[in-house]
Amino acid sequence: MSFLTSGLVTTSGGVVFGAALAAGTDWSLAPLQEPGDELKAQGFQLAANIARELSTLAVDRAYAPSPVKFNGTILQPDELNKAIRIGDMIGSPLILYRNRDKPADGTFLIGARDAGIFSVGGCPVIVATCGEHLVFAHAGRDCLLDRQRVLTNGKEKGRPHESVVNAVVSALLKKSRMDTDIKNICVHVFFSIRPEDFYHPFEHPNTNSGVYNRALATYARRNYDGTCIIHDRQGIYLDLPPIIAHQFRQLGVRSVNLDSAYLPTSASHTRNGDGKGRHLAMIVRYQ
């Protein structure tokens, strides 16, 4: 059973969704990429476990983009065209849709009983709605902050936009076809690592990480206020939900809810020390 649920959220556009986090520390979706993977040794138990979790949430279809590139891309659901019949493991019609050939940070959930899932270890998940449309997106540090901009203090770009936040807003406005609808976008953030667990030391055993962390401190001080970063003499603590809120508000979005933005204190994450700690994040659309 899931150990954290946010309850149901009803938006001004009539969309109803829920968010849940499955207990456990090894929910990597890597073994499930193609039809038939659910029958292989590495994928069989994983497929059954995912199907059981989703069945408790009344899900028919699950969409799992591959966010490995942190590229800020939002796909259309039909681009996740690898149909994996994970429901067969438990006698259910549930299908998981993937496409590792098109890495992306998010997609739309169009119909009732559609779910979006990620394996997360502290990276936040954004849910944004505009009218009848809903996008869910992976929002890890490198999805929110362009590494090339950070390393050059904003002089060079590694991608067209700073953040996956831009892609989420753009995707929603394209669906609505009215720029004025930006005022109707509502955002909720879930499952972020807490800032006290997300320290970036200036002196790091990995030289490249140390260089990045020092550049990050300079860049963050220049572009974000004290609600987003906490610094001491040896490094900085990064607070991702306020960064997400700051970015949305810069684009004109005013409704950003951070009430359930953080992992529970008992939850593990990839900064725990052993590199493990991946939970299954599930966003389910009910209406």
Side-chain angles (χ1 to χ4, degrees):
M1 289 291 291
S2 302
F3 68 80
L4 182 148
T5 59
S6 70
L8 295 181
V9 176
T10 302
T11 70
S12 58
V15 173
V16 179
F17 73 90
L21 195 69
T25 59
D26 190 15
W27 283 98
S28 171
L29 302 181
L32 296 174
Q33 301 288 350
E34 301 282 341
D37 284 352
E38 75 279 12
L39 302 177
K40 297 177 182 178
Q42 286 186 309
F44 185 85
Q45 191 59 55
L46 175 63
N49 290 343
I50 294 172
R52 287 192 189 97
E53 289 289 343
L54 290 174
S55 68
T56 66
L57 301 173
V59 171
D60 292 332
R61 297 161 297 275
Y63 296 87
S66 181
V68 294
K69 298 293 187 181
F70 294 82
N71 59 10
T73 298
I74 305 298
L75 294 179
Q76 296 301 312
D78 60 7
E79 294 181 273
L80 298 169
N81 54 16
K82 307 293 185 181
I84 305 171
R85 300 183 61 85
I86 62 172
D88 289 352
M89 307 296 101
I90 61 168
S92 161
L94 176 62
I95 296 177
L96 173 66
Y97 293 94
R98 305 215 69 196
N99 189 347
R100 62 181 167 189
D101 296 327
K102 289 190 174 182
D105 283 320
T107 190
F108 288 84
L109 299 181
I110 295 175
R113 299 170 70 97
D114 284 357
I117 66 172
F118 288 122
S119 170
V120 297
C123 291
V125 175
I126 292 169
V127 180
T129 63
C130 185
E132 67 190 53
H133 305 293
L134 181 153
V135 170
F136 79 101
H138 175 262
R141 181 195 65 195
D142 287 357
C143 303
L144 299 170
L145 300 171
D146 178 352
R147 288 187 69 88
Q148 189 62 19
R149 293 178 198 239
V150 169
L151 289 169
T152 64
N153 200 18
K155 296 176 183 177
E156 298 177 11
K157 299 178 181 180
R159 57 194 181 206
H161 299 294
E162 167 80 3
S163 172
V164 66
V165 166
N166 300 81
V168 167
V169 170
S170 177
L172 284 170
L173 293 182
K174 186 175 181 180
K175 282 285 188 182
S176 70
R177 302 181 185 279
M178 291 178 60
D179 289 346
T180 54
D181 279 350
I182 196 165
K183 67 180 182 298
N184 296 322
I185 293 177
C186 299
V187 176
H188 290 76
V189 181
F190 303 97
F191 312 137
S192 177
I193 192 170
R194 294 173 181 271
E196 59 266 31
D197 296 320
F198 205 29
Y199 189 57
H200 293 69
F202 298 149
E203 299 299 328
H204 194 283
N206 182 315
T207 302
N208 289 336
S209 294
V211 170
Y212 177 80
N213 291 348
R214 292 190 292 274
L216 179 60
T218 300
Y219 185 80
R221 289 190 194 106
R222 178 181 174 184
N223 293 281
Y224 298 95
D225 61 25
T227 65
C228 302
I229 59 167
I230 305 165
H231 38 84
D232 59 27
R233 292 180 181 275
Q234 285 77 44
I236 64 169
Y237 298 87
L238 209 58
D239 198 352
L240 297 179
I243 289 176
I244 294 170
H246 177 92
Q247 291 180 347
F248 272 111
R249 286 167 181 153
Q250 278 195 319
L251 295 175
V253 177
R254 291 292 173 260
S255 178
V256 184
N257 188 303
L258 303 183
D259 289 348
S260 301
Y262 297 96
L263 286 170
T265 54
S266 59
S268 59
H269 49 78
T270 54
R271 290 277 180 137
N272 279 351
D274 58 6
K276 298 180 180 179
R278 292 195 171 276
H279 304 290
L280 183 68
M282 299 168 284
I283 305 299
V284 184
R285 178 168 184 167
Y286 291 108
Q287 187 171 314

